[in-house]
Structure formats: structure tokens, C-alpha cells
Amino acid sequence: DAGVIQSPRHEVTEMGQEVTLRCKPISGHNSLFWYRQTMMRGLELLIYFNNNVPIDDSGMPEDRFSAKMPNASFSTLKIQPSEPRDSAVYFCASSLARTSGDSYNEQFFGPGTRLTVL
Amino acid sequence: AQTVTQSQPEMSVQEAETVTLSCTYDTSESDYYLFWYKQPPSRQMILVIRQEAYKQQNATENRFSVNFQKAAKSFSLKISDSQLGDAAMYFCAYRPTGANSKLTFGKGITLSVRP
């Protein structure tokens, strides 16, 4: 089991550039979450998908942020144009959401992408 | 809206001693889940322990245990026999029941372990 895979692990870009973060969830999981971690705001949920459909995107900060999940094994988080205040660690997590039985629905996190916008 | 509060930004413990990390939360739900996550310098988020609100018995995982006080909406983590590898940030998190429920995290606490 490879776990949740995120790429790149580190990204340094200049203000105004487009940034694309990628995530491959654990095989068989049907829910995927994007989080942002900063010193000031801690861990914030940006958006999450269930069966490739966005369920809640209320955490997406503004229109510069967009997320897609074209299939069950891949998701992207795009920032266009990027700004220095977007500098953070971005985590992807996945879980198997069950509607009955054990519904802990534990989320497994990827290693994160550290984004620096100059 | 649910909120999770970790009021202590930092704590320190002597190796082999016991330390308790505090967490309070606010919710109008009667059934939910609570979690403690560990984030070492590698940044990896690791689930340490979880608690179902409808269970009165406090969860225990080896050296980690919780003190769950539902009426007080308090969920503290106790680490016994602290080890150097326990040094990390610890996050308390809340999730209501339901397949599509999201986690709400506290701001975290940085735990250092003195040799």
C-alpha cells in the first residue's frame, strides 16, 4: 500500500504564476480532501470530493483556487494566479466513506506539498 | 458551526514522564468522533487515537489515552512514559457522524521532550 501520493513535495514559484498540485488517493478510497496548513490559520479544509464529485468547497479561499477530480485515482488543486499569501503546506487526504457499519471513515494523509510563492 | 480549541501552543515534558494535552470543542451534535493526530517534523499526519462520543469508555492505544468528558466538551490526550520520538505537533480534531462529514482541526500544540 503506497499511501496517499502527492507531487511535487516542494514548489517554489513567483507571484502570478500558475501552480498545480497533484494527489493520488489510496486505491479503493472514495473520498478525497484538500487541506491547507499555515502558522496563522492552522489546518483548513479547502474542498472535499466523494465519488469524484465535489461535496463542499466552502473552504476554497477565492476564485484563484480550483480543484478537480477527473477520476477515482487523481485530483489536482490549481492556483492561478498565485500570490505570496498562498505560501503554505497543502495536504491531500483520502478515506473510504461508509454509510453503515464502522463509520470512522479514517482519513489518511499524504506527505504534503510545501508551496512558496515569492 | 463546530469549533475545536487547543489553548496551549507549546508544552514540554521530561523523557519517561507523563504529559496531558488539552482540547475543547463546541458542537450541538450528540454523536460524533474525536481524534488526536501527530505531526512530526516530517510533516506526515499520523492518527494517534480516536474516540466515539457515544462510548463512555476512554480510548487507549498503548502509551496514549484520552480523558473524554462529553458534558464539558473536553478531550485531552495523555502520553505516558514520554519518549523522544513523541516530540511533534499534536492536533485535536472533530468530525460529526455521516459518510460525508469533514474534520475540523484545532490549531495544534507543539510538544517537546527533554532527554
Side-chain angles (χ1 to χ4, degrees), chain A:
Chain A
D1 184 359
V4 176
I5 299 172
Q6 290 186 248
S7 64
R9 292 294 307 276
H10 303 273
E11 177 80 27
V12 180
T13 190
E14 292 187 346
M15 182 174 62
Q17 295 298 307
E18 177 180 294
V19 175
T20 299
L21 310 182
R22 297 173 176 79
C23 176
K24 177 178 170 57
I26 292 173
S27 177
H29 282 187
N30 57 4
S31 293
L32 184 140
F33 307 79
W34 282 102
Y35 292 90
R36 178 172 67 176
Q37 184 178 28
T38 61
M39 289 291 292
M40 291 297 294
R41 301 172 68 90
L43 266 163
E44 304 172 281
L45 178 67
L46 300 177
I47 185 171
Y48 76 96
F49 297 83
N50 185 251
N51 292 323
N52 311 338
V53 176
I55 302 300
D56 183 348
D57 65 354
S58 59
M60 295 287 264
E62 47 196 278
D63 291 345
R64 297 185 297 106
F65 285 69
S66 62
K68 293 182 179 179
M69 192 164 187
N71 57 62
S73 60
F74 184 67
S75 176
T76 59
L77 177 67
K78 185 176 293 186
I79 308 172
Q80 166 64 21
S82 58
E83 297 181 4
R85 61 193 169 117
D86 302 331
S87 298
V89 179
Y90 291 81
F91 286 98
C92 175
S94 71
S95 72
L96 176 60
R98 298 185 180 92
T99 55
S100 62
D102 177 2
S103 56
Y104 275 123
N105 299 339
E106 179 182 344
Q107 293 185 22
F108 293 82
F109 284 75
T113 295
R114 180 178 292 280
L115 173 65
T116 302
V117 183
L118 303 175

Side-chain angles (χ1 to χ4, degrees), chain B residues 3 8-9 12-13 22 24 26 33 45 49 58 66-67 74-75 79 96 103-104 107-108 115:
Chain B
T3 59
Q8 306 155 302
S12 180
V13 64
S22 301
T24 58
D26 187 25
Y33 300 104
M45 293 288 287
I49 198 166
N58 289 324
V66 299
N67 183 4
S74 170
F75 183 61
I79 306 175
L103 278 170
T104 300
K107 288 290 182 67

